Amino acid sequence: MSANKKLLDRYVERYNAGDLDGVMDLYAEDAEQNMPDGTFVGRDAIRDRLAQELIAFPDVNHVVRSFVEQGDAFCDEWTFAGTHTGSLLLPDGRELAPTGQRIEVRGMEYCRVNDDGKLTLDTLYYDNVDVMVQLGLLPEAVPA
């Protein structure tokens, strides 16, 4: 198994366990995380964002569906599932009270790793409108 795949496996194991300190050990100090809700630069900013996610979805189950790599970069397709039982900080600063809704979303990410084996870039792609529909914030689309 490659070093990048081992890194991803450690990340997923720690994230699913709610081990935020363990997850943050995998990021370089100056890492950047790009999400549909913004760009987070540095471990402190990434930690704050991930903490909000784990508070909102404490029963998170992140599953890797596929993995490819080239050199210091890798991509993986994943599924995120969890129940919204904690407050969720929205990009505009408002808090969304727990909805009790179970969500499941598929996405992909592109990552880069430095020579020390730490994540320097983590760019995630997923349908945040689908997340809002599943949380009950937007109505489902009506077929034409």
Side-chain angles (χ1 to χ4, degrees), residues 25-80:
D25 285 343
L26 304 176
Y27 280 97
E29 200 61 45
D30 60 348
E32 179 177 314
Q33 186 180 63
N34 300 296
M35 306 286 292
D37 58 329
T39 297
F40 305 88
V41 179
R43 286 176 54 161
D44 290 342
I46 294 169
R47 180 186 184 80
D48 290 348
R49 190 209 169 276
L50 290 174
Q52 282 291 320
E53 199 170 85
L54 291 171
I55 289 167
F57 300 94
D59 66 341
V60 65
N61 185 32
H62 186 93
V63 177
V64 174
R65 302 290 178 194
S66 64
F67 173 84
V68 295
E69 66 181 318
Q70 184 174 8
D72 68 348
F74 67 87
C75 295
D76 63 280
E77 181 182 25
W78 46 262
T79 301
F80 172 100

Side-chain angles (χ1 to χ4, degrees), residues 13-31:
E13 179 182 347
R14 294 171 183 185
Y15 182 79
N16 285 343
D19 179 5
L20 189 53
D21 290 335
V23 169
M24 295 315 303
D25 285 343
L26 304 176
Y27 280 97
E29 200 61 45
D30 60 348

Side-chain angles (χ1 to χ4, degrees), residues 14 17-18 48 56 68 74 82 89 101 111 115 137-138 140:
R14 294 171 183 185
D48 290 348
V68 295
F74 67 87
L89 187 62
Q101 296 293 323
C111 297
D115 291 338
L137 302 175
L138 293 174
E140 288 190 47

Side-chain angles (χ1 to χ4, degrees), residues 83-101:
T83 309
H84 181 220
T85 58
S87 292
L88 180 63
L89 187 62
L90 300 174
D92 66 2
R94 292 180 296 143
E95 280 193 30
L96 175 63
T99 63
Q101 296 293 323

